[in-house]
Amino acid sequence: GNSVTQMEGPVTLSEEAFLTINCTYTATGYPSLFWYVQYPGEGLQLLLKATKADDKGSNKGFEATYRKETTSFHLEKGSVQVSDSAVYFCALSDYSGNQFYFGTGTSLTVIP
Amino acid sequence: DAGVTQSPTHLIKTRGQQVTLRCSPKSGHDTVSWYQQALGQGPQFIFQYYEEEERQRGNFPDRFSGHQFPNYSSELNVNALLLGDSALYLCASSPFGTEEGTDTQYFGPGTRLTVL
């Protein structure tokens, strides 16, 4: 079946620190992979996506590379800001693109 | 351009009651998906509607049902509420058959349902 496992939190970093949030997946076929972000009191927002192996998604300084050989899609940012404090969800869509599977989320707090 | 909207924002019900949640998709989107997000968990897929029909369904009992209207808005109905149905219910819309792709989903802010 399809599933997503992501690094447990919470994660606390100082401003300008390097961020990595690990995500691995299990899927049949060729899923698309996503990172969503949920800011306090708001709905989920698409952060970035990658639709095939070796694709790199990027947005707002965040990056993630679709690694088929390691079934991973780790989220990275070189220098986090206080405004990046949020919950980050890794997700995949199945071969049909109709059904999404989310990880449990990783809470990030960035302190000045 | 309005994004995905959901109503109501919060709802309190008692066990055994029925509830209806509503969603209006982003302009230009014709596909609506519903998710249940329990506290501290990731969203769980309930079902997806396209062209007024349920296109795909996750692992949820028949107590959960839905509807999509000709204007693409959607309702989620839950019958015989259980305490475990307390969660944030999220609606997401996507454009079918466009370059952006059905798998690019835009989420609403959710409806917080509390079952007492």
Side-chain angles (χ1 to χ4, degrees):
Chain A
N2 297 317
S3 66
V4 173
T5 302
Q6 66 179 100
M7 165 180 172
E8 299 224 354
V11 174
T12 303
L13 294 174
S14 297
E15 207 165 21
E16 299 183 3
F18 184 86
L19 168 71
T20 299
I21 301 178
N22 290 337
C23 171
T24 57
Y25 68 90
T26 302
T28 53
Y30 303 96
S32 293
L33 301 174
F34 305 82
W35 278 100
Y36 278 85
V37 58
Q38 189 170 36
Y39 297 103
E42 299 185 16
L44 280 85
Q45 299 176 23
L46 177 64
L47 182 59
L48 52 85
K49 67 184 261 190
T51 57
K52 61 183 187 296
D54 299 325
D55 267 3
K56 178 185 283 189
S58 61
N59 186 26
K60 300 182 181 178
F62 291 89
E63 293 184 340
T65 301
Y66 189 143
R67 300 285 188 202
K68 193 168 185 295
E69 64 276 11
T70 54
T71 61
S72 66
F73 193 56
H74 305 319
L75 182 68
E76 296 182 337
K77 186 174 186 183
S79 175
V80 294
Q81 305 301 311
V82 172
S83 57
D84 294 327
S85 298
V87 180
Y88 292 81
F89 292 91
C90 185
L92 70 83
S93 66
D94 68 359
Y95 67 93
S96 70
N98 297 334
Q99 184 161 348
F100 273 58
Y101 300 82
F102 283 82
T104 54
T106 302
S107 174
L108 170 67
T109 301
V110 180
I111 54 177
Chain B
D1 177 23
V4 180
T5 60
Q6 294 186 242
S7 63
T9 306
H10 296 90
L11 206 49
I12 298 176
K13 293 285 188 178
T14 56
R15 279 180 299 174
Q17 285 190 310
Q18 179 264 344
V19 68
T20 298
L21 311 181
R22 294 176 176 82
C23 170
S24 291
K26 182 175 165 64
S27 178
H29 288 187
D30 53 10
T31 302
V32 173
S33 302
W34 286 92
Y35 294 82
Q36 180 194 68
Q37 186 179 13
L39 200 60
Q41 300 297 314
Q44 299 289 315
F45 177 79
I46 302 175
F47 42 53
Q48 183 181 82
Y49 276 83
Y50 172 68
E51 291 190 336
E52 303 180 47
E53 291 193 357
E54 184 182 290
R55 182 160 65 174
Q56 194 145 347
R57 189 180 183 91
N59 189 25
F60 277 79
D62 292 345
R63 297 187 298 109
F64 290 77
S65 63
H67 189 77
Q68 185 178 35
F69 299 93
N71 67 352
Y72 308 124
S73 66
S74 177
E75 288 182 348
L76 164 66
N77 300 294
V78 187
N79 294 322
L81 284 167
L82 304 173
L83 296 179
D85 294 331
S86 294
L88 180 68
Y89 288 84
L90 297 168
C91 170
S93 72
S94 53
F96 181 79
T98 68
E99 187 176 328
E100 190 174 26
T102 306
D103 64 1
T104 299
Q105 299 199 342
Y106 293 79
F107 283 80
T111 294
R112 174 73 62 188
L113 172 65
T114 302
V115 181
L116 302 176

